Amino acid sequence: MIRFFQTFTKVTAWIAQFFCFRTKIYYEEKKAQSRRIKGNAIIISNHTSVYDYAVMLFTFPCRTLRYLMAEVLFETKPLARFLRAMGGVEVNRDGMDFSFLLKAEEILEKGGVIGSFPESRLPNDGEERPLPFAPSTAYIALRSGAPMIPVYTNGSYFNRRRARVIIGRPIYAAEYLDDNLTEKENVEKLNAVMRERILELRDELARRTQKRKSTQKT
């Protein structure tokens, strides 16, 4: 049912999203990771606005994305129903309910795709971006062994500038696992790797965008 509803939403909203975002997709290395996702995976991205979710849905249109979503989005009943129908996994950031971790692992074990914004919230004005990453995504990656697909978006939505997204090479948590470290230390280590990869994609997108502008001027 979730797959059907999400596919229906993507099909019916395709034209609208095109005019709202006009997303240009770049690849760090297309052979390593394109818009097609084989098997289970965890998509990680920087967080610029609530519209990032929609952009990610259409960046990877051929897979059903089960996103980890903050509890505040489920406070309004109509929106809560829609997000659950889309496969949203509720995360209570202020409570001690960690059932979402088990749910995420279950989805990955069945070959599904999880989506996450590891910053856990939208940045406030003046805060360094991306924000420090919450531990849950790294924990899920270490527990499940699923590859993480890093993505960076410039957050340019609903204006004359196109939204630009770059998809990076997969990150394999097992490559950074150190048996001499505690679980918490391994999570912190992986979080640092994840954040650094997002920053690298940010710089790479800026470089390619600048190169394109320079080419157009010549």
Side-chain angles (χ1 to χ4, degrees), residues 29-130:
E29 185 181 341
K30 192 171 184 178
K31 288 185 179 180
Q33 184 59 61
S34 67
R35 298 174 73 178
R36 297 183 66 86
I37 301 174
K38 299 179 180 179
N40 65 358
I42 304 169
I43 297 172
I44 61 171
S45 172
N46 62 309
H47 204 10
T48 68
S49 81
V50 294
Y51 299 107
D52 295 333
Y53 170 58
V55 170
M56 292 303 131
L57 288 179
F58 291 101
T59 297
F60 301 97
C62 297
R63 291 298 300 270
T64 301
L65 309 187
R66 304 289 302 277
Y67 258 83
L68 305 182
M69 298 178 172
E71 75 291 336
V72 66
L73 297 174
F74 294 83
E75 292 176 355
T76 304
K77 286 186 178 181
L79 179 59
R81 292 193 188 99
F82 174 76
L83 293 178
R84 290 193 176 98
M86 290 289 285
V89 178
E90 184 176 356
V91 178
N92 189 337
R93 297 170 296 177
D94 298 321
M96 297 299 292
D97 182 4
F98 299 109
S99 60
F100 73 94
L101 296 173
L102 297 176
K103 181 63 176 178
E105 289 181 39
E106 179 184 339
I107 293 169
L108 292 168
E109 286 175 2
K110 294 180 179 179
V113 178
I114 288 291
S116 173
F117 300 111
E119 292 169 85
S120 184
R121 65 173 176 84
L122 291 171
N124 296 318
D125 291 340
E127 288 187 304
E128 182 181 2
R129 303 186 183 197

Side-chain angles (χ1 to χ4, degrees), residues 123-142:
N124 296 318
D125 291 340
E127 288 187 304
E128 182 181 2
R129 303 186 183 197
L131 298 171
F133 286 3
S136 55
T137 306
Y139 180 83
I140 293 168
L142 287 167

Side-chain angles (χ1 to χ4, degrees), residues 135-154:
S136 55
T137 306
Y139 180 83
I140 293 168
L142 287 167
R143 292 267 298 179
S144 67
M148 291 182 288
I149 302 173
V151 182
Y152 181 83
T153 173
N154 67 352

Side-chain angles (χ1 to χ4, degrees), residues 207-218:
R207 185 187 69 80
R208 295 194 191 185
T209 303
Q210 185 60 44
K211 181 179 179 181
R212 176 178 171 275
K213 289 180 180 178
S214 300
T215 302
Q216 290 178 337
K217 290 180 180 180
T218 57

